[in-house]
Amino acid sequence: MTTPALSWDVVSVDKPDDLNVVIGQAHFIKTVEDLHEAMVGVSPSLRFGLAFCEASGPRLVRRSGNDPELVELAVGNALAIGAGHVFVIFLRDGFPVNVLNPVKGVPEVCSIYCATANPVDVVVAVTPLGRGIAGVIDGESPLGVESEDDVTARRDLLRAIGYKL
């Protein structure tokens, strides 16, 4: 038995600093509509664009959203990643913490690779069959361990923005 050729590609997600991105994997053409419904159910002020790479049939990048600029950005990044069954969602006026449970609740969703505002590199494995996400690099490496002052600042921030009482 011969081993198929394997190579690696790294795709830097193209996004403005003020946007959040969710990248995951799903398994069915219905994913686009179900993700759209999950997103609009979160908040009427949430702006989003999403794209999903089909892995069979016409192998199109399916797209949806309520913000044409974000839809275009999601499509461009989905094409750059080029891996079957991958979806990319960009968010404005909302945060991943608000959409992750609804996204994970979509029956077609298999996994979430990242949900972040950080710079992201997607590590893609390439074989003769196609491309698949092996992992993501989400942000930068730590510079140290938080001090007691940092702990206090973290706790105060979470309470100030309403995530903890």
Side-chain angles (χ1 to χ4, degrees):
M1 183 169 108
T2 62
T3 304
L6 172 68
S7 63
W8 299 96
D9 192 8
V10 177
V11 177
S12 292
V13 172
D14 176 28
K15 71 172 206 58
D17 291 340
D18 66 329
L19 290 183
N20 284 279
V21 63
V22 177
I23 301 173
Q25 187 171 23
H27 70 89
F28 189 47
I29 191 173
K30 185 167 128 348
T31 299
V32 173
E33 292 180 31
D34 288 354
L35 285 174
H36 183 106
E37 291 167 5
M39 301 300 288
V40 297
V42 170
S43 165
S45 64
L46 178 69
R47 308 304 300 160
F48 70 93
L50 67 95
F52 170 70
C53 298
E54 282 182 319
S56 60
R59 297 192 334 241
L60 300 173
V61 173
R62 304 293 180 164
R63 63 196 178 4
S64 191
N66 61 10
D67 184 312
E69 175 190 350
L70 299 182
V71 172
E72 183 179 327
L73 195 59
V75 167
N77 279 278
L79 284 168
I81 295 166
H85 287 153
V86 166
F87 64 85
V88 177
I89 303 171
F90 281 100
L91 307 173
R92 179 174 284 136
D93 301 327
F95 299 98
V97 70
N98 304 118
V99 303
L100 277 177
N101 280 338
V103 167
K104 290 187 288 187
V106 170
E108 302 87 48
V109 171
C110 302
S111 61
I112 304 291
Y113 294 108
C114 69
T116 186
N118 293 331
V120 176
D121 285 339
V122 180
V123 180
V124 179
V126 183
T127 73
L129 184 60
R131 297 166 60 88
I133 293 180
V136 298
I137 312 300
D138 179 353
E140 300 176 65
S141 298
L143 297 174
V145 177
E146 67 181 350
S147 68
E148 288 307 312
D149 288 341
D150 296 321
V151 170
T152 299
R154 171 175 41 88
R155 289 178 176 162
D156 290 347
L157 172 67
L158 291 173
R159 280 146 187 84
I161 62 175
Y163 280 101
K164 291 288 183 177
L165 300 177

